[in-house]
Structure formats: C-alpha cells, structure tokens
Amino acid sequence: MIRLLLSSAILLAALPAAFAQDAMSSARPAPAAAEPVTTASPISKVKLVEPHLHVTRVGKGAPRVALTFDACMGKTDTRILNTLVEQQVPATIFVTARWLKGNPEALATFLAHPDLFELEDHGLNHIPAVDQPTLVYGIPAAGSPAAVAQEVKGGADAMVAHGIPQPRWFRGATARYSPSAIAEIRGMGYRIAGYSLNGDSGASLPAKVVEKNYVSAKDGDVLISHINQPTHSSGEGVVKGILALKARGAQFVRLQDIAEHGDDATTE
C-alpha cells in the first residue's frame, strides 16, 4: 500500500511539469514589443483558470468527440498526422508561429486536406496568456495586457502569412489564463479553447496510458494532445486511441463544425 501511494504521488507531481515540457525544450525568444516580464509577484496572488470545453452531445449511441492537437514548437509527429489522413479523422490543430517556421511539409499536408483539418491560433512564442507577471508551470507568463495581445495577434498574423485562413479560436500555452486576459482575448474576437479530457499530459505519458485516456472519452468530450513530439511514446498511444475510438463508431468533429460550450466566459 505504501509503495502504491508513493507511486501515485510521484505521478501527480509530474503532471504540472508535463505541460511545461514543450516550452522548456528550447529557449524562448523575448517578446519584441511587449512590456518586460518579471517574476516578482508570487504565483499565489495571481488567479488562474483552466477552462473546460465540450461539444454538443449526441445523447445516445456512439460518442461525439473533438480531437484537438497542439503544435507548440519542434517537429511533427507523422505517426499521428498520417493516421488522421489515412483514417479520414477530422481534427483541430493549434499552431504557433514557431512551429510554422520549421514544418512546411506538415503544413502543406494540413492545407491539402481542408475537409479534415481546422487550423487555429496557439500563439506567437508559446507564452502563457496571463497579463500579470508570474510563472505558469515554471514558464514566464506574458506579464501584461500588451504582451498577451502580441502573443495572440502575432500567432494569427503568422498563420495568415503562411496561407492559413484567419483563426477564430485561441489556445494559450499551458491552457491556463487570468480572467482579465480571457476578457482581453475575447475582446479581440477569439473564442478560447479549453478541453475536457487530457490525452497525453504534454506528450509525457507512456503509450498505454494515453491509449487508455482516449478510450475513456465520453460523449461531448474535447481531447487535447500534442502533435509535435515525434520521439515520445505518447504518439503511439494517440494513434491506438484514435483507432479504438473509431472502432467504437465515435463521431469526430472539429470545433468549427458544431456548437460548443466553454466555461469561464471563454465561448459565450
């Protein structure tokens, strides 16, 4: 029993770090025009929310689920991308400007399949959308309203420059926000994409756990996973999870295809 409790405690302690993994894997360039980011304010004084998002439920039979993937930086997990294309499974992909620069082939695949892929904004430099100086899972937040606006608009501008339609959704790094930043981003015309089921915890989980998470999806769930970690075993679990859901007859939808509901004033 003691060994089991210790193992559980170690797993829980690792989860927050998993969200920071992509951002900490390479040095983040400093925002060019934003106010300086400091970490003087204790994190306990900054209220953060992690919004949930659901799509409209079918109500009976096989579940309706929305697969969403973050492309934070780095490369592309072609195991996941190829499966989505070969199995004709639609998905919503959140891309950063940093990822777009280094993945022209994957972007071409996304753009060649507009019936499958909805591309949305994950930011300019993968910075948490918090308008006060703090750390989120160890990552320095934007730190000011001007820096939040730069992160959102910079990501959208990069998308348009790469031939992607103007995005309508935004998901910030770590998927945590200050309420005032949510209001600011909504004022810029974006909905904010939360989620209801974490598939891979920042691509840190082993394949079997990821597959189990996918199989546990319920009607109306919005899954979040990562498509930019090709060397991690999580991607294998994502592929097996997608195939398992398809075998169950799951209805896959993109965020643009169906009505949804997000809490913390992220969509209404």
Side-chain angles (χ1 to χ4, degrees):
M1 178 63 72
I2 293 175
R3 181 179 299 174
L4 177 60
L5 291 174
L6 287 174
S7 299
S8 300
I10 291 171
L11 177 60
L12 291 173
L15 289 179
F19 286 93
Q21 185 168 7
D22 284 326
M24 301 303 289
S25 62
S26 60
R28 173 174 57 81
E35 298 173 16
V37 174
T38 68
T39 58
S41 299
I43 192 169
S44 60
K45 291 186 178 180
V46 180
K47 178 184 178 182
L48 299 178
V49 296
E50 189 170 357
H52 295 93
L53 181 69
H54 288 87
V55 293
T56 303
R57 295 172 173 83
V58 175
K60 59 181 180 179
R64 173 185 287 151
V65 297
L67 303 182
T68 71
F69 294 93
D70 289 357
C72 309
M73 59 197 75
K75 300 300 181 180
T76 303
D77 192 331
T78 55
R79 296 170 298 182
I80 299 173
L81 178 55
N82 291 343
T83 298
L84 294 171
V85 173
E86 292 167 2
Q87 298 294 322
Q88 292 291 286
V89 173
T92 303
I93 316 295
F94 288 86
V95 299
T96 67
R98 296 181 68 182
W99 181 89
L100 288 172
K101 289 180 181 179
N103 293 273
E105 293 183 1
L107 175 59
T109 300
F110 286 140
L111 294 177
H113 297 277
D115 55 324
L116 292 180
F117 300 116
E118 170 189 359
L119 299 180
E120 299 292 353
D121 187 1
H122 197 34
L124 176 63
N125 287 316
H126 201 249
I127 302 172
V130 177
D131 54 3
Q132 302 172 56
T134 191
L135 297 175
V136 187
Y137 298 135
I139 307 171
S144 72
V148 169
Q150 181 188 7
E151 175 71 0
V152 177
K153 186 177 185 301
D157 288 348
M159 293 176 67
V160 173
H162 280 82
I164 304 170
Q166 176 68 34
R168 291 164 289 185
W169 287 85
F170 175 78
R171 175 182 285 158
T174 75
R176 302 190 79 189
Y177 313 82
S178 52
S180 51
I182 288 177
E184 178 184 2
I185 297 166
R186 293 304 312 281
M188 296 173 68
Y190 295 90
R191 293 186 172 202
I192 297 175
Y195 62 93
S196 61
L197 180 58
N198 194 331
D200 65 359
S201 290
S204 70
L205 299 178
K208 288 185 178 180
V209 177
V210 175
E211 180 183 2
K212 183 177 180 180
N213 289 342
Y214 267 68
V215 171
S216 73
K218 297 179 175 60
D219 191 21
D221 269 337
V222 174
L223 284 81
I224 182 175
S225 298
H226 292 73
I227 198 169
N228 66 308
Q229 294 287 3
T231 64
H232 292 202
S233 67
S234 292
E236 177 187 347
V238 169
V239 169
K240 290 182 177 180
I242 292 172
L243 296 177
L245 285 175
K246 186 174 182 181
R248 283 173 55 193
Q251 178 188 148
F252 299 103
V253 296
R254 302 171 299 181
L255 296 185
Q256 69 182 30
D257 294 331
I258 197 163
E260 78 300 311
H261 173 75
D263 55 18
D264 296 305
T266 51
T267 63
E268 279 67 39

